[in-house]
CSV table of all heavy atoms in Angstrom, one decimal:
chain,number,residue,atom,x,y,z
L,621,CYS,N,100.0,96.0,124.6
L,621,CYS,CA,98.8,96.0,125.4
L,621,CYS,C,98.2,94.6,125.5
L,621,CYS,O,98.4,93.8,124.6
L,621,CYS,CB,97.8,97.0,124.9
L,621,CYS,SG,97.1,96.6,123.3
L,622,GLN,N,97.4,94.4,126.5
L,622,GLN,CA,96.8,93.1,126.7
L,622,GLN,C,95.4,93.3,127.3
L,622,GLN,O,95.3,93.8,128.5
L,622,GLN,CB,97.5,92.2,127.6
L,622,GLN,CG,97.0,90.8,127.6
L,622,GLN,CD,98.0,89.8,128.3
L,622,GLN,OE1,98.9,90.2,128.9
L,622,GLN,NE2,97.8,88.5,127.9
L,623,ALA,N,94.4,93.0,126.6
L,623,ALA,CA,93.0,93.1,127.1
L,623,ALA,C,92.6,91.8,127.7
L,623,ALA,O,93.2,90.7,127.4
L,623,ALA,CB,92.0,93.4,125.9
L,624,PRO,N,91.7,91.8,128.6
L,624,PRO,CA,91.3,90.5,129.2
L,624,PRO,C,90.8,89.4,128.2
L,624,PRO,O,90.1,89.7,127.3
L,624,PRO,CB,90.0,90.9,130.1
L,624,PRO,CG,90.3,92.4,130.4
L,624,PRO,CD,90.9,92.9,129.2
L,625,GLY,N,91.4,88.2,128.4
L,625,GLY,CA,91.1,87.1,127.5
L,625,GLY,C,91.8,87.2,126.2
L,625,GLY,O,91.6,86.3,125.4
L,626,LYS,N,92.7,88.2,126.0
L,626,LYS,CA,93.4,88.3,124.7
L,626,LYS,C,94.9,88.2,124.9
L,626,LYS,O,95.4,88.4,126.0
L,626,LYS,CB,93.0,89.6,124.0
L,626,LYS,CG,91.6,89.7,123.6
L,626,LYS,CD,91.3,91.0,122.8
L,626,LYS,CE,89.9,91.0,122.3
L,626,LYS,NZ,89.7,92.3,121.5
L,627,GLU,N,95.6,87.9,123.8
L,627,GLU,CA,97.0,87.9,123.8
L,627,GLU,C,97.6,89.3,123.8
L,627,GLU,O,97.0,90.3,123.4
L,627,GLU,CB,97.6,87.1,122.6
L,627,GLU,CG,97.2,85.7,122.6
L,627,GLU,CD,97.9,84.9,121.4
L,627,GLU,OE1,98.5,85.6,120.6
L,627,GLU,OE2,97.8,83.7,121.3
L,628,ARG,N,98.8,89.4,124.3
L,628,ARG,CA,99.5,90.6,124.4
L,628,ARG,C,99.8,91.1,122.9
L,628,ARG,O,100.3,90.3,122.1
L,628,ARG,CB,100.9,90.5,125.2
L,628,ARG,CG,101.5,91.8,125.5
L,628,ARG,CD,102.6,91.6,126.6
L,628,ARG,NE,102.0,91.2,127.8
L,628,ARG,CZ,102.7,91.2,129.0
L,628,ARG,NH1,104.0,91.4,128.9
L,628,ARG,NH2,102.2,90.8,130.0
L,629,GLU,N,99.6,92.3,122.6
L,629,GLU,CA,99.7,92.9,121.3
L,629,GLU,C,100.7,94.0,121.2
L,629,GLU,O,100.7,94.8,122.1
L,629,GLU,CB,98.4,93.3,120.7
L,629,GLU,CG,97.3,92.3,120.6
L,629,GLU,CD,96.0,92.8,120.1
L,629,GLU,OE1,95.8,94.1,120.1
L,629,GLU,OE2,95.1,92.0,119.7
L,630,PHE,N,101.4,94.1,120.1
L,630,PHE,CA,102.3,95.2,119.9
L,630,PHE,C,101.5,96.5,119.6
L,630,PHE,O,100.5,96.5,118.9
L,630,PHE,CB,103.1,94.9,118.6
L,630,PHE,CG,104.0,96.1,118.1
L,630,PHE,CD1,105.2,96.4,118.8
L,630,PHE,CD2,103.6,96.8,117.0
L,630,PHE,CE1,105.9,97.5,118.3
L,630,PHE,CE2,104.3,97.8,116.6
L,630,PHE,CZ,105.5,98.1,117.2
L,631,VAL,N,102.0,97.6,120.2
L,631,VAL,CA,101.3,98.9,120.0
L,631,VAL,C,102.3,99.8,119.2
L,631,VAL,O,101.9,100.3,118.1
L,631,VAL,CB,100.9,99.6,121.3
L,631,VAL,CG1,100.4,100.9,121.1
L,631,VAL,CG2,100.0,98.7,122.0
L,632,ALA,N,103.5,100.0,119.7
L,632,ALA,CA,104.4,101.0,119.1
L,632,ALA,C,105.8,100.7,119.6
L,632,ALA,O,106.0,100.1,120.7
L,632,ALA,CB,104.0,102.4,119.4
L,633,ALA,N,106.8,101.1,118.8
L,633,ALA,CA,108.2,100.9,119.3
L,633,ALA,C,109.0,102.1,118.8
L,633,ALA,O,108.7,102.8,117.8
L,633,ALA,CB,108.8,99.7,118.7
L,634,ILE,N,110.1,102.4,119.5
L,634,ILE,CA,111.0,103.5,119.1
L,634,ILE,C,112.5,102.9,119.3
L,634,ILE,O,112.8,102.3,120.4
L,634,ILE,CB,110.8,104.7,119.9
L,634,ILE,CG1,111.7,105.8,119.4
L,634,ILE,CG2,110.9,104.5,121.5
L,634,ILE,CD1,111.3,107.2,120.0
L,635,ASN,N,113.3,103.2,118.4
L,635,ASN,CA,114.7,102.8,118.5
L,635,ASN,C,115.5,104.0,119.0
L,635,ASN,O,115.4,105.1,118.4
L,635,ASN,CB,115.3,102.4,117.2
L,635,ASN,CG,114.9,101.0,116.8
L,635,ASN,OD1,115.1,100.0,117.6
L,635,ASN,ND2,114.4,100.8,115.6
L,636,TRP,N,116.2,103.8,120.2
L,636,TRP,CA,116.8,104.9,120.8
L,636,TRP,C,117.9,105.6,120.0
L,636,TRP,O,118.2,106.7,120.0
L,636,TRP,CB,117.5,104.4,122.2
L,636,TRP,CG,117.5,105.4,123.2
L,636,TRP,CD1,118.7,106.2,123.6
L,636,TRP,CD2,116.5,105.9,124.0
L,636,TRP,NE1,118.4,107.0,124.5
L,636,TRP,CE2,117.1,106.9,124.9
L,636,TRP,CE3,115.2,105.6,124.1
L,636,TRP,CZ2,116.3,107.6,125.8
L,636,TRP,CZ3,114.4,106.3,125.1
L,636,TRP,CH2,115.0,107.3,125.9
L,637,ARG,N,118.6,104.7,119.2
L,637,ARG,CA,119.8,105.2,118.4
L,637,ARG,C,119.4,106.2,117.4
L,637,ARG,O,120.1,107.2,117.2
L,637,ARG,CB,120.4,104.0,117.7
L,637,ARG,CG,121.7,104.3,117.1
L,637,ARG,CD,122.4,103.0,116.5
L,637,ARG,NE,121.7,102.6,115.2
L,637,ARG,CZ,121.9,101.4,114.7
L,637,ARG,NH1,122.8,100.6,115.2
L,637,ARG,NH2,121.2,101.1,113.6
L,638,ASP,N,118.3,106.0,116.6
L,638,ASP,CA,117.9,106.9,115.6
L,638,ASP,C,116.5,107.5,115.7
L,638,ASP,O,116.0,108.2,114.8
L,638,ASP,CB,118.1,106.3,114.2
L,638,ASP,CG,117.3,105.1,114.0
L,638,ASP,OD1,116.4,104.8,114.9
L,638,ASP,OD2,117.5,104.3,113.1
L,639,SER,N,115.8,107.2,116.8
L,639,SER,CA,114.5,107.7,117.0
L,639,SER,C,113.5,107.2,116.0
L,639,SER,O,112.4,107.8,115.8
L,639,SER,CB,114.4,109.2,117.1
L,639,SER,OG,115.1,109.6,118.2
L,640,SER,N,113.8,106.2,115.2
L,640,SER,CA,112.8,105.6,114.3
L,640,SER,C,111.6,105.0,115.0
L,640,SER,O,111.9,104.4,116.1
L,640,SER,CB,113.4,104.5,113.4
L,640,SER,OG,114.1,103.5,114.2
L,641,THR,N,110.5,105.2,114.5
L,641,THR,CA,109.2,104.7,115.2
L,641,THR,C,108.4,103.8,114.4
L,641,THR,O,108.4,103.9,113.2
L,641,THR,CB,108.4,105.9,115.7
L,641,THR,OG1,108.1,106.7,114.6
L,641,THR,CG2,109.1,106.8,116.6
L,642,TYR,N,107.7,102.9,115.0
L,642,TYR,CA,106.8,101.9,114.4
L,642,TYR,C,105.5,101.8,115.1
L,642,TYR,O,105.5,101.9,116.4
L,642,TYR,CB,107.5,100.5,114.4
L,642,TYR,CG,109.0,100.6,113.7
L,642,TYR,CD1,110.0,101.0,114.4
L,642,TYR,CD2,109.1,100.4,112.4
L,642,TYR,CE1,111.3,101.0,113.9
L,642,TYR,CE2,110.4,100.4,111.8
L,642,TYR,CZ,111.5,100.8,112.6
L,642,TYR,OH,112.7,100.8,112.0
L,643,TYR,N,104.4,101.6,114.4
L,643,TYR,CA,103.1,101.5,115.0
L,643,TYR,C,102.3,100.3,114.5
L,643,TYR,O,102.5,99.9,113.3
L,643,TYR,CB,102.4,102.8,114.7
L,643,TYR,CG,103.0,104.0,115.3
L,643,TYR,CD1,103.9,104.8,114.6
L,643,TYR,CD2,102.7,104.4,116.6
L,643,TYR,CE1,104.5,105.9,115.1
L,643,TYR,CE2,103.3,105.5,117.2
L,643,TYR,CZ,104.2,106.3,116.5
L,643,TYR,OH,104.8,107.4,117.0
L,644,ALA,N,101.5,99.8,115.4
L,644,ALA,CA,100.4,98.9,114.9
L,644,ALA,C,99.5,99.6,114.0
L,644,ALA,O,99.2,100.8,114.2
L,644,ALA,CB,99.8,98.2,116.1
L,645,ASP,N,98.9,99.0,113.1
L,645,ASP,CA,98.0,99.6,112.2
L,645,ASP,C,96.8,100.2,112.9
L,645,ASP,O,96.3,101.3,112.5
L,645,ASP,CB,97.5,98.6,111.1
L,645,ASP,CG,98.5,98.3,110.0
L,645,ASP,OD1,99.5,99.1,109.9
L,645,ASP,OD2,98.3,97.3,109.4
L,646,SER,N,96.4,99.6,114.0
L,646,SER,CA,95.2,100.0,114.7
L,646,SER,C,95.4,101.3,115.5
L,646,SER,O,94.4,101.9,115.9
L,646,SER,CB,94.8,98.9,115.8
L,646,SER,OG,95.9,98.7,116.7
L,647,VAL,N,96.6,101.8,115.7
L,647,VAL,CA,96.8,103.0,116.4
L,647,VAL,C,97.5,104.1,115.6
L,647,VAL,O,97.7,105.2,116.0
L,647,VAL,CB,97.7,102.7,117.6
L,647,VAL,CG1,97.1,101.6,118.6
L,647,VAL,CG2,99.2,102.4,117.3
L,648,LYS,N,97.9,103.7,114.4
L,648,LYS,CA,98.6,104.7,113.5
L,648,LYS,C,97.8,105.8,113.2
L,648,LYS,O,96.6,105.8,112.9
L,648,LYS,CB,98.9,103.9,112.2
L,648,LYS,CG,100.1,104.6,111.4
L,648,LYS,CD,100.5,103.7,110.2
L,648,LYS,CE,101.0,102.3,110.6
L,648,LYS,NZ,101.5,101.5,109.5
L,649,GLY,N,98.3,107.0,113.4
L,649,GLY,CA,97.6,108.3,113.3
L,649,GLY,C,97.0,108.8,114.5
L,649,GLY,O,96.5,109.9,114.6
L,650,ARG,N,96.8,107.9,115.6
L,650,ARG,CA,96.2,108.3,116.8
L,650,ARG,C,97.2,108.3,118.0
L,650,ARG,O,97.1,109.1,118.9
L,650,ARG,CB,95.1,107.3,117.2
L,650,ARG,CG,93.9,107.2,116.1
L,650,ARG,CD,92.8,106.4,116.7
L,650,ARG,NE,93.1,105.0,117.0
L,650,ARG,CZ,93.0,104.5,118.2
L,650,ARG,NH1,92.5,105.2,119.2
L,650,ARG,NH2,93.3,103.2,118.4
L,651,PHE,N,98.1,107.4,118.0
L,651,PHE,CA,99.1,107.3,119.1
L,651,PHE,C,100.5,107.8,118.6
L,651,PHE,O,100.8,107.6,117.4
L,651,PHE,CB,99.3,105.8,119.6
L,651,PHE,CG,98.1,105.2,120.3
L,651,PHE,CD1,96.9,105.9,120.3
L,651,PHE,CD2,98.2,104.1,120.9
L,651,PHE,CE1,95.8,105.4,121.0
L,651,PHE,CE2,97.1,103.5,121.6
L,651,PHE,CZ,95.9,104.2,121.6
L,652,THR,N,101.3,108.3,119.5
L,652,THR,CA,102.6,108.8,119.2
L,652,THR,C,103.5,108.3,120.2
L,652,THR,O,103.3,108.6,121.5
L,652,THR,CB,102.7,110.3,119.0
L,652,THR,OG1,101.8,110.7,118.0
L,652,THR,CG2,104.1,110.7,118.7
L,653,ILE,N,104.6,107.6,119.9
L,653,ILE,CA,105.7,107.2,120.8
L,653,ILE,C,106.8,108.2,120.7
L,653,ILE,O,107.2,108.6,119.6
L,653,ILE,CB,106.1,105.7,120.5
L,653,ILE,CG1,107.0,105.2,121.7
L,653,ILE,CG2,106.8,105.5,119.2
L,653,ILE,CD1,107.3,103.7,121.6
L,654,SER,N,107.4,108.6,121.8
L,654,SER,CA,108.5,109.5,121.8
L,654,SER,C,109.4,109.2,123.0
L,654,SER,O,109.1,108.4,123.8
L,654,SER,CB,108.0,111.0,121.8
L,654,SER,OG,107.2,111.2,123.1
L,655,ARG,N,110.6,109.9,123.0
L,655,ARG,CA,111.5,109.6,124.1
L,655,ARG,C,112.1,111.0,124.6
L,655,ARG,O,112.1,112.0,123.9
L,655,ARG,CB,112.6,108.8,123.6
L,655,ARG,CG,113.5,109.3,122.6
L,655,ARG,CD,114.6,108.3,122.2
L,655,ARG,NE,115.5,108.8,121.1
L,655,ARG,CZ,116.5,109.5,121.2
L,655,ARG,NH1,117.0,109.9,122.4
L,655,ARG,NH2,117.3,109.8,120.2
L,656,ASP,N,112.5,111.0,125.8
L,656,ASP,CA,113.3,112.1,126.4
L,656,ASP,C,114.6,111.5,126.9
L,656,ASP,O,114.6,110.8,128.0
L,656,ASP,CB,112.4,112.7,127.5
L,656,ASP,CG,113.1,114.0,128.2
L,656,ASP,OD1,114.3,114.0,128.2
L,656,ASP,OD2,112.3,114.9,128.5
L,657,SER,N,115.7,111.8,126.3
L,657,SER,CA,117.0,111.2,126.7
L,657,SER,C,117.4,111.7,128.0
L,657,SER,O,117.9,110.9,128.8
L,657,SER,CB,118.0,111.6,125.6
L,657,SER,OG,117.7,111.1,124.3
L,658,ALA,N,117.2,112.9,128.3
L,658,ALA,CA,117.6,113.5,129.6
L,658,ALA,C,116.9,112.8,130.8
L,658,ALA,O,117.5,112.6,131.8
L,658,ALA,CB,117.4,114.9,129.6
L,659,LYS,N,115.7,112.5,130.6
L,659,LYS,CA,114.9,111.8,131.6
L,659,LYS,C,114.9,110.3,131.5
L,659,LYS,O,114.3,109.6,132.4
L,659,LYS,CB,113.4,112.3,131.6
L,659,LYS,CG,113.3,113.8,131.9
L,659,LYS,CD,111.9,114.2,131.9
L,659,LYS,CE,111.7,115.7,132.3
L,659,LYS,NZ,110.3,116.1,132.3
L,660,ASN,N,115.5,109.7,130.5
L,660,ASN,CA,115.6,108.3,130.3
L,660,ASN,C,114.1,107.7,130.3
L,660,ASN,O,113.8,106.7,131.0
L,660,ASN,CB,116.4,107.6,131.3
L,660,ASN,CG,117.2,106.5,130.7
L,660,ASN,OD1,117.5,106.3,129.6
L,660,ASN,ND2,117.4,105.5,131.7
L,661,THR,N,113.3,108.4,129.6
L,661,THR,CA,111.8,108.0,129.6
L,661,THR,C,111.3,107.9,128.2
L,661,THR,O,111.6,108.7,127.3
L,661,THR,CB,111.1,109.1,130.4
L,661,THR,OG1,111.6,109.1,131.8
L,661,THR,CG2,109.6,108.8,130.5
L,662,VAL,N,110.3,107.0,128.0
L,662,VAL,CA,109.7,106.9,126.8
L,662,VAL,C,108.2,107.2,127.1
L,662,VAL,O,107.6,106.8,128.1
L,662,VAL,CB,109.8,105.5,126.2
L,662,VAL,CG1,108.8,105.2,125.0
L,662,VAL,CG2,111.2,105.3,125.7
L,663,TYR,N,107.5,107.9,126.1
L,663,TYR,CA,106.1,108.2,126.3
L,663,TYR,C,105.3,107.6,125.2
L,663,TYR,O,105.7,107.3,124.2
L,663,TYR,CB,106.0,109.8,126.2
L,663,TYR,CG,106.8,110.5,127.2
L,663,TYR,CD1,108.0,111.0,126.8
L,663,TYR,CD2,106.4,110.6,128.5
L,663,TYR,CE1,108.8,111.7,127.7
L,663,TYR,CE2,107.1,111.3,129.4
L,663,TYR,CZ,108.3,111.9,129.0
L,663,TYR,OH,109.1,112.5,129.9
L,664,LEU,N,104.0,107.4,125.5
L,664,LEU,CA,102.9,107.0,124.5
L,664,LEU,C,101.8,108.0,124.7
L,664,LEU,O,101.0,107.9,125.6
L,664,LEU,CB,102.5,105.6,124.8
L,664,LEU,CG,101.6,105.0,123.7
L,664,LEU,CD1,102.3,104.9,122.3
L,664,LEU,CD2,101.0,103.7,124.1
L,665,GLN,N,101.7,108.9,123.7
L,665,GLN,CA,100.6,109.8,123.7
L,665,GLN,C,99.4,109.1,122.9
L,665,GLN,O,99.6,108.8,121.8
L,665,GLN,CB,101.0,111.1,123.0
L,665,GLN,CG,99.8,112.1,122.8
L,665,GLN,CD,99.3,112.7,124.1
L,665,GLN,OE1,100.1,113.1,124.9
L,665,GLN,NE2,98.0,112.7,124.3
L,666,MET,N,98.3,108.9,123.5
L,666,MET,CA,97.2,108.2,123.0
L,666,MET,C,96.0,109.2,122.8
L,666,MET,O,95.5,109.8,123.8
L,666,MET,CB,96.7,107.1,123.9
L,666,MET,CG,97.9,106.1,124.1
L,666,MET,SD,97.3,104.7,125.2
L,666,MET,CE,96.9,105.5,126.7
L,667,ASN,N,95.6,109.5,121.5
L,667,ASN,CA,94.6,110.4,121.2
L,667,ASN,C,93.4,109.7,120.5
L,667,ASN,O,93.5,108.5,120.1
L,667,ASN,CB,95.1,111.5,120.3
L,667,ASN,CG,96.1,112.4,120.9
L,667,ASN,OD1,96.1,112.5,122.1
L,667,ASN,ND2,97.1,112.8,120.0
């Protein structure tokens, strides 16, 4: 993500091979990254 006047920051990542996920501390517990192989799509659920 990138807010006005700020540098681009990491939010979350997912490895397609084993579905391992990683999060920035600021979003851990609130955001969820997931994938749908059939749709070739990655999602970011933000709560």
Side-chain angles (χ1 to χ4, degrees):
C621 69
Q622 187 168 20
K626 294 187 177 182
E627 293 186 354
R628 191 166 295 187
E629 298 179 347
F630 170 79
V631 176
I634 185 167
N635 281 310
W636 207 259
R637 189 177 73 188
D638 58 11
S639 296
S640 54
T641 58
Y642 305 86
Y643 296 94
D645 288 343
S646 60
V647 306
K648 203 171 293 184
R650 299 190 298 122
F651 291 10
T652 302
I653 189 170
S654 62
R655 66 177 177 90
D656 185 326
S657 298
K659 295 182 178 180
N660 214 28
T661 299
V662 171
Y663 303 99
L664 185 68
Q665 177 68 48
M666 304 184 292
N667 298 329

